[in-house]
Amino acid sequence: MEENELIRPQIYLITPSEIELSSFPSVLKSCLDTVDVACVRLALSSTDEDHIARAADACRDVCHGFDIAMVIDSHVQMVERLGLDGVHLPDGSRNVRAVRKELGADAIVGAHCGVTRHDGMSAGEAGADYVAFGPVGASALGDGTVAEYDVFEWWSQMIEVPVVAEGALTADLIAKYSSVTDFFGIGPEIWSAEKPAEALRALDAEID
């Protein structure tokens, strides 16, 4: 993933926490056929390594067919074994430096830093390729705190590390934050739709 300075933000697609291997790869392909996607994150809740590996194989083949990078949530030790492009760390900056050393300079290492720009700055200084803030919208998860517009505005003006806005995004929020973010992390917002690809297209249209 590369920074898009003064360029239209891109979609960073996040998989559901649970996927049906017999059908999800075709759903993913439909999404990637519909809009331009910069990166896909495999974000499964399962701890079954065999299931994760099979899901990663199926999704990786789809992503790489589109020449789109794929990262995995949390499972650093599986990145190289599964031929993935990197990892997304959900715990902020604390492990970025060690993971960067383990995976090397070519791997994508991203960090979710909640709502605080200080942790984001620490992650960037430790070698993160991108920093994610969120949730941007109101969510039942966590304590209700959201990543405010001014965090992204400050970041876009002061920090070169690309930033991802994610969590409870709506069409209105995407339109509002388009001028202050590099990527929109979209996933839960579309997977419950009858046609996820069309839901993704509708949100992508708000970026313009």
Side-chain angles (χ1 to χ4, degrees):
M1 297 168 66
E2 298 179 352
E3 183 182 9
N4 290 289
E5 185 177 358
L6 300 178
I7 295 177
R8 182 185 194 271
Q10 292 181 277
I11 299 297
Y12 174 21
L13 192 62
I14 305 166
T15 72
S17 59
E18 298 180 10
I19 63 175
E20 176 54 60
L21 289 177
S22 64
S23 58
F24 183 73
S26 64
V27 175
L28 177 60
K29 183 178 184 299
S30 179
C31 289
L32 302 186
D33 264 329
T34 300
V35 302
D36 289 333
V37 171
C39 185
V40 173
R41 182 200 308 167
L42 184 66
L44 303 183
S45 60
S46 174
T47 57
D48 184 316
E49 288 196 7
D50 180 63
H51 176 71
I52 294 171
R54 288 186 288 114
D57 285 343
C59 294
R60 183 198 62 234
D61 288 347
V62 174
C63 291
H64 288 182
F66 285 84
D67 197 26
I68 293 172
M70 180 175 157
V71 302
I72 190 169
D73 195 290
S74 303
H75 298 286
V76 178
Q77 73 282 2
M78 301 182 80
V79 172
E80 292 183 352
R81 176 155 59 91
L82 298 176
L84 305 179
D85 298 288
V87 66
H88 174 85
L89 303 174
D91 53 356
S93 62
R94 66 185 68 179
N95 294 310
V96 171
R97 196 175 304 278
V99 170
R100 169 61 68 203
K101 184 176 180 180
E102 179 179 347
L103 296 182
D106 293 336
I108 297 171
V109 177
H112 189 280
C113 294
V115 301
T116 62
R117 64 190 189 189
H118 175 75
D119 199 26
M121 291 172 64
S122 296
E125 291 168 357
D129 291 294
Y130 69 84
V131 165
F133 292 120
V136 175
S139 171
L141 301 177
D143 61 4
T145 305
V146 299
E148 300 288 354
Y149 180 89
D150 60 0
V151 172
F152 290 90
E153 184 177 40
W154 178 87
W155 189 277
S156 67
Q157 293 171 353
M158 303 298 295
I159 308 296
E160 293 185 0
V161 177
V163 63
V164 181
E166 65 176 72
L169 290 168
T170 63
D172 287 344
L173 286 171
I174 287 175
K176 178 180 178 180
Y177 281 70
S178 288
S179 63
V180 294
T181 192
D182 298 294
F183 302 93
F184 284 108
I186 295 176
E189 296 87 351
I190 66 169
W191 300 125
S192 62
E194 183 176 351
K195 295 182 178 180
E198 293 305 311
L200 181 60
R201 187 201 300 274
L203 290 178
D204 181 72
E206 296 297 326
I207 297 176
D208 290 330

